[in-house]
Amino acid sequence: ELLSWMRTQPGTSSLRALFYMDEIFGYFPPSAKPPSKPPMLALLKQARAFGLGIALATQNPVDLDYKGLSNIGTWFLGRLQTQRDKERVLEGLEGAAAQTGSLFDRGGMEQTLAALGNRVFLMNNVHDDGPTIFQTRWAMSYLRGPLSRQQIQALMDPRRDALIPQSSSDSGPPDKSSVHLSEHPRETRPIVPNDIQERFWIPSRLPSSGSRLLYRPALLANVSCHYVRVSAGLDSWVDKFLLYQTNGELADDVWKQSRELPSGVLELASEPQDDYAFAELPAAMTSVKQFKGWNKDLRNHLYRHFPIRLYKCRELKATSKPGQDELDARMAWQQQVRELRDREKEKLQSKFASKLETLKSKIRTAQKRVSREQAQYDQEKWKTALHVGQSVLGWFLGNKVTSRGATTGRSLGRVAQERTDVTLASETLEELEQQKIELQDECEREVKELQDKFNINALTLEPIDIPCRKGDIKVDLLALVWVPWQVDSTGTASPLVETLADA
């Protein structure tokens, strides 16, 4: 399923999703071939091109197939207990390095792995110049562990009680959707003109025992609205269901008092169910002329009060899709924002990489100069020490001061000069090293600013309300609909459809 989903995604160089699997033992073995092995190998070879990252965890690398290991570019390695695990890791790292054409020091890597301590890990990334050693912070776990059957039962008792329906004989306040019935029902079905469509809402809740069943009239409209905005790339038809419930008297503006129903909740029939009585039907709801007026008013109401809201993003120069709220729009642009951020990050890192490489070249030159000046300084020290020793020995032997003393003086001057050169060269090297640190800090700071800038929560979204085209509105159904209700012994009525009961 994951492999199939991956192949439906467009290619990207940014991370779109991450598949993490702990305790991989048995799913990707080196010799056997369980059904999970071929798709896992395909994921390790192809997933990165689709923006899908794969993270696998195990305590024993020897249990993993070597082909998969060679396709994993980033390794986090802790202390390995057995020699076989160490050999497998070294083989895998060597294979990964060979694929990228980089050098691999097997002996040095083996010594590094052997020296890892507690909470110390080695990260080997094929894109880095070399491995990195880091230490994790302390972590505390409050996981209780597997639950027993008795514990599961104790946890589920409150939920089970909440799911058990209350009987009609239970005392307590009535449901918020319940109303006291004041109209006088009739057993016979009211006569409605043929030009008025009539529907019966199929109940979705079972009535309580001993309750009387009643149909109450309402006005139902099923319409199709056409929304068009070329600049936003919008050309969409949207179906809407509007329901107006009467309490015996009709409002002056029925659609203003109506409510929009979610799609998929209406189940309509052309004939009533047995055992249902009928509430009084207002005279206006039997008038064909009145229904034509409601049809006209409905179009005006939809045009004025049912625009579709889109969100325009300034940074991405993109517009959201119909039906997306602000959060949905931000989440839909998450991958696009990530790709834009990664492109800007590559440009930024490329700019700093050239500066850093220039500094590194200067640092290498300065290090060579310091080594050269230090060697010359050491050489002059030995020469001066020899001249001084010869002069002192000659003085003890009673020799007269000759040109050797002058040579000793010149040697001391050269030693002082070489010491000064070493100091100057060291200061230059320190300045270059400090510039390197400052440049790296500046790069990290700008990368952090870039991450803050290209964040879905930082996007500037401008809401755009687009009305439907008044001339394109299609009224697919405008009908008198009978809504099923139940009436208990106290005269309190409650609807038998979930949508109205939850209102």
Side-chain angles (χ1 to χ4, degrees), residues 39-330:
M40 181 66 76
L41 185 59
L43 287 172
L44 290 173
K45 289 184 176 182
Q46 304 173 13
R48 63 175 63 90
F50 296 90
L52 176 61
I54 309 295
L56 306 179
T58 182
Q59 296 179 9
N60 302 102
V62 73
D63 295 329
L64 301 185
D65 189 276
Y66 71 95
K67 294 180 181 178
L69 292 176
S70 64
N71 278 279
I72 298 175
T74 305
W75 295 51
F76 297 96
L77 303 170
R79 179 184 296 176
L80 300 174
Q81 302 295 332
T82 66
Q83 187 62 31
R84 289 184 61 199
D85 286 331
K86 294 179 183 178
E87 292 295 331
R88 173 54 62 86
V89 165
L90 293 172
E91 290 174 4
L93 292 175
E94 189 172 11
Q99 284 191 353
T100 58
S102 57
L103 298 176
F104 181 74
D105 184 2
R106 186 184 181 96
M109 181 64 71
E110 187 172 5
Q111 291 180 0
T112 302
L113 290 174
L116 295 178
N118 293 332
R119 300 189 301 112
V120 178
F121 292 83
L122 180 142
M123 182 190 75
N124 186 79
N125 190 335
V126 294
H127 302 292
D128 293 344
D129 297 333
T132 302
I133 296 177
F134 65 95
Q135 185 171 8
T136 64
R137 62 183 181 182
W138 287 102
M140 298 184 68
S141 174
Y142 293 96
L143 296 179
R144 171 62 178 80
L147 299 175
S148 65
R149 291 190 177 187
Q150 290 77 10
Q151 291 171 328
I152 294 175
Q153 183 178 1
L155 289 173
M156 288 303 298
D157 279 342
R159 292 194 175 189
R160 188 184 300 108
D161 295 338
L163 291 174
I164 297 176
Q166 299 294 326
S167 63
S168 59
S169 61
D170 289 344
S171 59
D175 183 79
K176 65 178 180 178
S177 62
S178 301
V179 295
H180 190 75
L181 186 64
S182 60
E183 67 262 35
H184 303 286
R186 52 186 292 179
E187 298 297 331
T188 58
R189 176 179 172 180
I191 299 176
V192 178
N194 292 333
D195 291 338
I196 297 178
Q197 299 193 61
E198 191 177 12
R199 297 290 187 273
F200 299 86
W201 197 335
I202 301 175
S204 58
R205 303 175 69 186
L206 293 176
S208 302
S209 59
S211 298
R212 293 184 294 113
L213 304 180
L214 175 70
Y215 276 127
R216 302 181 71 182
L219 190 62
L220 174 68
N222 177 16
V223 297
S224 296
C225 298
H226 191 198
Y227 296 92
V228 179
R229 179 66 62 89
V230 177
S231 59
L234 175 65
D235 188 352
S236 176
W237 287 89
V238 179
D239 292 334
K240 295 183 180 295
F241 296 88
L242 273 67
L243 182 73
Y244 168 71
Q245 300 180 85
T246 174
N247 57 358
E249 296 181 0
L250 293 177
D252 295 334
D253 189 347
V254 296
W255 301 121
K256 188 175 181 180
Q257 303 298 326
S258 66
R259 57 172 297 191
E260 185 178 1
L261 300 178
S263 60
V265 301
L266 271 174
E267 290 187 73
L268 302 178
S270 57
E271 294 296 331
Q273 295 188 11
D274 296 335
D275 302 328
Y276 273 83
F278 290 84
E280 287 293 332
L281 182 63
M285 299 188 78
T286 61
S287 171
V288 176
K289 182 179 179 180
Q290 184 66 62
F291 267 81
K292 290 181 180 179
W294 285 334
N295 191 318
K296 181 180 178 180
D297 295 341
L298 175 61
R299 297 174 187 273
N300 295 329
H301 179 76
L302 291 170
Y303 176 76
R304 292 195 306 265
H305 300 287
F306 280 86
I308 191 170
R309 170 160 288 191
L310 303 182
Y311 293 90
K312 185 176 181 180
C313 179
R314 297 178 183 177
E315 293 83 356
L316 300 177
K317 296 180 175 59
T319 308
S320 64
K321 301 297 182 183
Q324 293 180 337
D325 58 17
E326 184 175 349
L327 178 60
D328 293 335
R330 292 182 186 274

